[in-house]
Amino acid sequence: MMQINVSEILSTSGKSQSFQAEAGFDVIPYSGVEYPVAAKESFDLTVSNIGKKKIRVTGETKVVLLIPCDRCLNDVSVEFPIKIDVVIDRNTEDDDEKEWNDIVLSDGIMLEVDMLVYDEIAANFPMKTLCKEDCKGICPVCGCNQNETACDCDQFVPDPRMSAIRDIFNNFKEV
């Protein structure tokens, strides 16, 4: 986990310092699944003291995750441009903000860079990931990837709303 000691910045009014950090993760956990990191760039950060026990953190980086296509399950490289611009206020009375500040600023002096990146990825995670717009997906009968192989499986799915009528006709045929 990448941490930056910001104790000097917190204790010096108006102080600003730039850092170049490398994110310390190889996978990103999200919604119970761990997604491998395909690429990550160094993180250029600026940490500034903007008042008593308040710092502003700004920076940019880019992370590429391998996320399975929702139709065919092939890995898709999804790029996350990360832009951080947060104010960490140690004087806040809001319990949720205090809890977040304690996670991002552990021990009151160590800035958790990985948490800043993770928060941005979690906020921008795609609802649906497709390898291509016209992805054909996996055959529900034989399981082949229909983008790579054409199969001759019968994929007719009857309309469930018509099941009662279909039962009448099937019973009528038996008589």
Side-chain angles (χ1 to χ4, degrees), residues 18-66:
S18 294
F19 299 92
Q20 190 169 37
E22 291 291 330
F25 47 76
D26 293 322
V27 295
I28 295 288
Y30 180 77
S31 220
V33 179
E34 289 188 345
Y35 297 96
V37 175
K40 55 188 172 185
E41 293 181 356
S42 62
F43 198 8
D44 297 320
L45 281 173
T46 302
V47 182
S48 306
N49 183 321
I50 58 170
K52 191 169 188 174
K53 292 188 175 184
K54 285 173 78 172
I55 60 172
R56 181 179 197 166
V57 181
T58 58
E60 292 185 20
T61 190
K62 190 185 320 178
V63 176
V64 178
L65 297 182
L66 295 177

Side-chain angles (χ1 to χ4, degrees), residues 12-170:
T12 309
S13 181
K15 182 164 177 84
S16 183
Q17 189 172 350
S18 294
F19 299 92
Q20 190 169 37
E22 291 291 330
F25 47 76
D26 293 322
V27 295
I28 295 288
Y30 180 77
S31 220
V33 179
E34 289 188 345
Y35 297 96
V37 175
K40 55 188 172 185
E41 293 181 356
S42 62
F43 198 8
D44 297 320
L45 281 173
T46 302
V47 182
S48 306
N49 183 321
I50 58 170
K52 191 169 188 174
K53 292 188 175 184
K54 285 173 78 172
I55 60 172
R56 181 179 197 166
V57 181
T58 58
E60 292 185 20
T61 190
K62 190 185 320 178
V63 176
V64 178
L65 297 182
L66 295 177
I67 301 174
C69 174
D70 286 328
R71 292 183 186 158
C72 70
L73 301 178
N74 285 341
D75 283 339
V76 179
S77 293
V78 179
E79 185 176 298
F80 292 87
I82 309 291
K83 292 186 185 224
I84 304 290
D85 189 357
V86 295
V87 173
I88 301 171
D89 184 359
R90 303 293 291 172
N91 301 313
T92 187
E93 297 297 322
D94 183 6
D95 287 339
D96 289 337
E97 195 171 330
K98 272 186 182 179
E99 185 178 331
W100 184 82
N101 288 343
D102 289 341
I103 292 170
V104 174
L105 201 61
S106 65
D107 297 331
I109 59 168
M110 299 302 289
L111 181 65
E112 301 284 346
V113 176
D114 292 351
M115 285 306 298
L116 292 173
V117 173
Y118 173 76
D119 284 351
E120 286 297 310
I121 290 173
N124 295 298
F125 207 86
M127 295 293 284
K128 187 172 202 170
T129 303
L130 296 177
C131 60
K132 56 187 178 180
E133 284 297 317
D134 62 341
C135 177
K136 296 176 185 171
I138 294 176
C139 173
V141 178
C142 70
C144 77
N145 183 338
Q146 294 178 328
N147 295 316
E148 299 167 0
T149 308
C151 64
D152 295 329
C153 297
D154 181 13
Q155 296 183 16
F156 173 73
V157 179
D159 187 341
R161 297 172 292 182
M162 299 299 289
S163 64
I165 294 173
R166 198 173 20 262
D167 289 344
I168 292 170
F169 284 115
N170 285 339

